[in-house]
Amino acid sequence: MIGPDTALMPDWMPDSAFDRPPVEAAVLIGLVRREAGFTVLYTERSSTLRAHSGQVAFPGGKIDPEDEDAAAAALREAHEEVALAPEEARILGFLPHYFTGTNYLITPVVALVEPSAPFVPNPREVSDVFEVPLARLARLETYGTFRIMRGGQERTSYQIDHDGHRIWGITANLTRRFRDLALAAELVP
């Protein structure tokens, strides 16, 4: 198991340095208020997408020049991907930036979400929308490990299995980072 002091490397790095600055992106870690308690919002990417098809992700994407900031980009993407009305989300804060092996610099945006309607996946981008109870994500035993071989090297990330969905890589690593940074003060040993 990966320990909290283990430095997680991106799941892939190129053989040579990048020849351009990183692409700025933002994801929304949506804390959805439900009658039974808080959940966290995830999507399963469409199998027709060129990159990361079929993988679980937070709503999000590239920060466009028209976006005021990372929060605006995350809310715009969540609206495009799952029909989350931006006015139904209140930004709570940000996690540290996350640099990927594909040269993206991701800003994780944490928001309280109080939806007035069901989330609806945009089939061009998302095949499924689901939520994981926040209480489950707060428990250490929820996190396993996922190993993948890339370029002859084994890479490891966190892994969360939930109702037939496997969350791994960047999304699982960000989930664990959220757990460790935002929920740690609330956890009872």
Side-chain angles (χ1 to χ4, degrees), residues 34 82-84 115-120:
R34 298 290 185 194
V82 301
L84 168 63
S116 62
F119 297 118
V120 179

Side-chain angles (χ1 to χ4, degrees), residues 152-168:
Q153 291 187 332
E154 183 178 83
R155 302 291 183 181
T156 304
S157 82
Y158 288 110
Q159 172 181 311
I160 304 160
D161 290 311
H162 181 76
D163 284 346
H165 296 282
R166 174 158 289 158
I167 305 167
W168 65 281

Side-chain angles (χ1 to χ4, degrees), residues 2-18:
I2 300 170
D5 58 344
T6 302
L8 294 173
M9 295 180 60
D11 55 18
W12 176 82
M13 286 296 291
D15 292 331
S16 58
F18 294 110

Side-chain angles (χ1 to χ4, degrees), residues 42-126:
Y42 293 91
T43 67
E44 184 175 310
R45 293 172 52 85
S46 170
S47 62
T48 61
L49 294 173
R50 281 191 341 254
H52 308 288
S53 62
Q55 291 183 10
V56 172
F58 291 115
K62 211 168 66 164
I63 299 175
D64 289 342
E66 308 81 51
D67 294 321
E68 183 179 327
D69 55 19
L75 291 175
R76 174 185 52 76
E77 288 284 348
H79 180 70
E80 291 172 7
E81 293 177 12
V82 301
L84 168 63
E87 62 274 8
E88 294 178 350
R90 181 169 52 94
I91 304 303
L92 300 176
F94 305 86
L95 293 185
H97 296 294
Y98 188 99
F99 182 66
T100 73
T102 53
N103 202 26
Y104 279 78
L105 185 63
I106 299 171
T107 300
V109 179
V110 181
L112 173 64
V113 177
E114 300 187 74
S116 62
F119 297 118
V120 179
N122 174 346
R124 291 188 312 269
E125 298 186 47
V126 173

